[in-house]
Amino acid sequence: MTAIVPATDAGLALAATALREGRPVVIPTETVYGLAADATSPDAVASVFAAKSRPSDDPLIVHVAPGLLPRPRVEGLVTLGVVAEDLEPAQRATADALVDAFWPGPLTLVLPRGPAIPLAVTSRLESVAIRMPAHPVARAVIEAAGRPLVAPSANLFGRISPTTAEAAQSELEGRIGLVVDGGRCDVGVESTVVRVDADGGLGLLRPGAVTRVDLERVAGTSPYDVQAAEGIAGSPGRLLRHYAPSTPLVIVGTGPSGWQEPRWADLRRRLAQGTGRLGYIAWSSPSEAIRIALGGASTDLHVRTLAPDGTVAEAAHSLYAVLRELDELKADLLVVERPPGGGGLADAVADRLGRAAHGTPPLA
Ligand code: TXA
Ligand code: MG
């Protein structure tokens, strides 16, 4: 049985006790819910990999809170043993600037690993990913546990990250004991992950709410894309298919090229071969074009809108809840409109959708 407890003093005490005893607990963060465990205990870390059915070559993020750090900035992380002490001056300067600007918040820094972090956390890498979440409940749990916590997203490996306590519970039911309820996650997509190189350069490993423009403004250097520069090998855990519903998902453009008839003929064909049930995810306003394009082929059309207010922040906030809800329909197919360009958080949404769609043939 997996219980949800409110984030009261009693709920936090239960969570802290479980964590200190080496048991994993789901906690809210401002990005997505995380499956937390003692980052300094190889056994606790192993139970996180087991509960998620996560392969051991996909490294975890270590979560810290202000109350754990005896000193500010990177020096605090070094003292805690999370980060190695022999950072290059330029590397330390860039990391300090990013910590000052974005912590607590949805930014994860990859730095040389310190002695308190077992190799099981980093999948045997000599680097470690660290973040300080902004969610007050995450902070309270970390401080009550009194140690850094690993916290991968609280989903089974490869699936959609949960953004509510109920979604985390249904995802990990029977695999873990406790979910601390912190309400619906504000940001809705996982943190930006950036590697701070020895020369102070920045390698972007995963786009998120802290954008390229934000990073460049603070670090004074433009981040490069690690996956483009180094391939999959440079980006541990960045699989092409990830964040995925069980229902096949395709992305369509909404410009003139997106609405071309051959694509819709292909869609009608796929529905005719299945049950005819279709989930359609519109970006800002549900378009009549889908109904017209279907021409009566689907009598079982379920339309959802990601961003009724038209903002990318709203779309990111609701993305995983909408995908999760439509996945439960057991439709033949989910169709989602391509996010608008323009960089920023839209890059993060496009990244997650691209990985969710990987492996489903696009509409031809
Ligand atoms: O927003 C988040 O970051 C959420 C919340 C719960 O904090 N956590 C999260 O964790 O998304 P997870 O495990 O689902 O994603 C961690 C990813 C890995 O898959 C990998 O891509 C990257 O972070 N990562 C971790 N350690 C790394 C390292 N040493 N080098 C490069 N990438 C690393
Ligand atoms: Mg994840």
Side-chain angles (χ1 to χ4, degrees):
M1 244 270 302
T2 302
I4 297 183
V5 295
T8 54
D9 286 350
L12 295 176
L14 271 179
T17 302
L19 289 163
R20 280 199 297 263
E21 289 172 358
R23 281 175 280 131
V25 172
V26 172
I27 63 168
T29 84
E30 72 279 22
T31 56
V32 299
Y33 274 72
L35 179 57
D38 183 349
T40 64
S41 157
D43 287 345
V45 169
S47 64
V48 165
F49 279 98
K52 276 178 62 83
S53 300
R54 178 173 175 128
S56 61
D57 62 356
D58 187 356
L60 305 178
I61 298 173
V62 173
H63 293 60
V64 297
L68 294 189
L69 300 181
R71 300 199 183 84
R73 306 184 185 148
V74 171
E75 194 52 36
L77 298 169
V78 171
T79 312
L80 195 60
V82 171
V83 168
E85 57 188 357
D86 57 346
L87 262 56
E88 297 295 331
Q91 189 175 31
R92 186 182 283 247
T94 298
D96 278 340
L98 294 174
V99 164
D100 277 343
F102 301 116
W103 279 13
L107 176 67
T108 296
L109 300 177
V110 174
L111 289 165
R113 182 182 65 90
I117 300 302
L119 283 167
V121 170
T122 67
S123 303
R124 314 205 69 77
L125 295 171
E126 284 306 336
S127 60
V128 61
I130 314 130
R131 93 176 186 95
M132 182 187 281
H135 198 297
V137 175
R139 173 179 173 164
V141 173
I142 297 165
E143 291 181 349
R147 61 203 72 195
L149 303 177
V150 292
S153 49
N155 49 277
L156 295 176
F157 180 68
R159 292 188 29 88
I160 306 166
S161 303
T163 52
T164 62
E166 292 74 22
Q169 181 190 41
S170 78
E171 191 69 22
L172 296 174
E173 180 64 62
R175 290 172 169 249
I176 55 126
L178 206 62
V179 176
V180 182
D181 193 347
R184 175 95 171 258
C185 299
D186 213 13
V187 177
V189 293
E190 303 80 358
S191 62
T192 305
V193 181
V194 75
R195 186 179 70 197
V196 185
D197 294 333
D199 64 1
L202 291 182
L204 187 63
L205 287 150
R206 181 173 72 184
V210 173
T211 68
R212 279 175 177 282
V213 172
D214 296 333
L215 293 167
E216 181 164 0
R217 175 173 48 79
V218 169
T221 170
S222 146
Y224 59 90
D225 185 316
V226 174
Q227 199 147 314
E230 298 170 20
I232 293 283
S235 302
R238 293 292 283 151
L239 298 183
L240 290 175
R241 181 167 171 80
H242 208 135
Y243 315 108
S246 336
T247 316
L249 178 139
V250 294
I251 302 170
V252 293
T254 54
S257 66
W259 295 120
Q260 277 165 9
E261 176 54 25
R263 297 227 166 93
W264 299 116
D266 186 16
L267 177 59
R268 290 195 296 269
R269 217 168 15 248
R270 291 195 207 183
L271 293 171
Q273 284 161 4
T275 63
R277 184 174 297 166
L278 173 67
Y280 187 87
I281 305 173
W283 186 262
S284 62
S285 55
S287 167
E288 275 311 299
I290 177 63
R291 290 178 209 281
I292 297 163
L294 285 172
S298 172
T299 50
D300 198 6
L301 171 65
H302 299 257
V303 178
R304 296 289 181 280
T305 304
L306 280 184
D309 73 357
T311 66
V312 177
E314 172 66 19
H317 177 72
S318 55
L319 177 69
Y320 288 147
V322 167
L323 285 176
R324 202 170 267 281
E325 184 195 347
L326 289 185
D327 200 22
E328 281 168 13
L329 295 173
K330 307 276 175 258
D332 298 332
L333 196 66
L334 303 182
V335 173
V336 55
E337 293 177 357
R338 189 180 304 289
L345 186 55
D347 281 356
V349 175
D351 170 74
R352 305 309 189 274
L353 283 176
R355 289 171 203 272
H358 189 81
T360 302
L363 294 178

